[in-house]
Amino acid sequence: MKTNNRWNSLRFSAYLIGLLCTGCTIPNQNIAFNSGTIKRVYCSANSVGFDFHIDRLTGEVFSYNKKTKSLVDFNLKDEVPFASFIPKSQYNDISNNLEMINFKTEISDNVFVFTMSPTEISFVDGFISLTLDLDTLEIDLDADVPDSPVPVAVITPIINDQISCEYITPESTKVESLAATGN
């Protein structure tokens, strides 16, 4: 009989909680992450993903420095995946090619815009622009790459449809400049 009373007590408690919370909703994950200006966004498609930290107000992008456990100014060379496995001569080639890419970030109407273009128009022409709505986390790719082996019109819808993004917990919200870290 005691077991039945406990069961009835638990059921009654659950019923009361249900009544008290009628109309309650679990907050949207994106809304929960909207406090503070430093955000970490994880985007992925088919098990391949990338993440980045941004300042939601300025559009600045940061890299995480494991030594100082802080965010530092974004450096495209530091973001090369599997860099420690790439032979030094090949990494130097990649690094030199990355120096020929200019990137710009900004926030416009609550949309994060990341644009890459060549530093020297005489070498190559075109641009790649990625926008991310900071409320819905919908991604949109726009590009003009005249010498691309695959037409941009083919790639763009695939990327726009297959990449999904979500807010995740930042590794840090402490920001240091690279000059302060000695890098």
Side-chain angles (χ1 to χ4, degrees), residues 69-127:
K69 296 185 177 166
S70 64
L71 302 177
V72 296
D73 300 330
F74 180 80
N75 182 340
L76 199 54
K77 292 180 199 175
D78 292 340
E79 303 301 325
V80 174
F82 309 110
S84 60
F85 296 109
I86 299 172
K88 184 118 177 110
S89 63
Q90 289 177 350
Y91 179 81
N92 289 340
D93 290 343
I94 292 170
S95 181
N96 291 336
N97 287 329
L98 289 176
E99 287 179 13
M100 294 189 295
I101 298 173
N102 202 11
F103 77 92
K104 179 180 141 192
T105 61
E106 65 182 322
I107 300 286
S108 177
D109 295 328
N110 209 34
V111 173
F112 173 71
V113 182
F114 178 87
T115 305
M116 293 188 311
S117 59
T119 55
E120 297 283 333
I121 301 286
S122 60
F123 292 127
V124 67
D125 194 14
F127 71 90

Side-chain angles (χ1 to χ4, degrees), residues 28-35 39 41 54 56 107-112 131-139 165-167:
N28 179 321
Q29 154 187 305
N30 295 342
I31 294 170
F33 281 98
N34 280 341
S35 59
K39 302 294 172 211
V41 179
I54 62 170
R56 189 177 167 102
I107 300 286
S108 177
D109 295 328
N110 209 34
V111 173
F112 173 71
T131 60
L132 178 70
D133 184 302
L134 294 175
D135 289 326
T136 65
L137 292 177
E138 289 182 21
I139 201 164
C165 299
E166 64 183 316
Y167 285 116

Side-chain angles (χ1 to χ4, degrees), residues 1-17:
M1 197 67 154
K2 283 186 174 183
T3 307
N4 193 21
N5 283 340
R6 283 186 191 157
W7 176 250
N8 285 338
S9 289
L10 286 173
R11 192 169 26 183
F12 181 72
S13 298
Y15 177 74
L16 272 178
I17 291 169

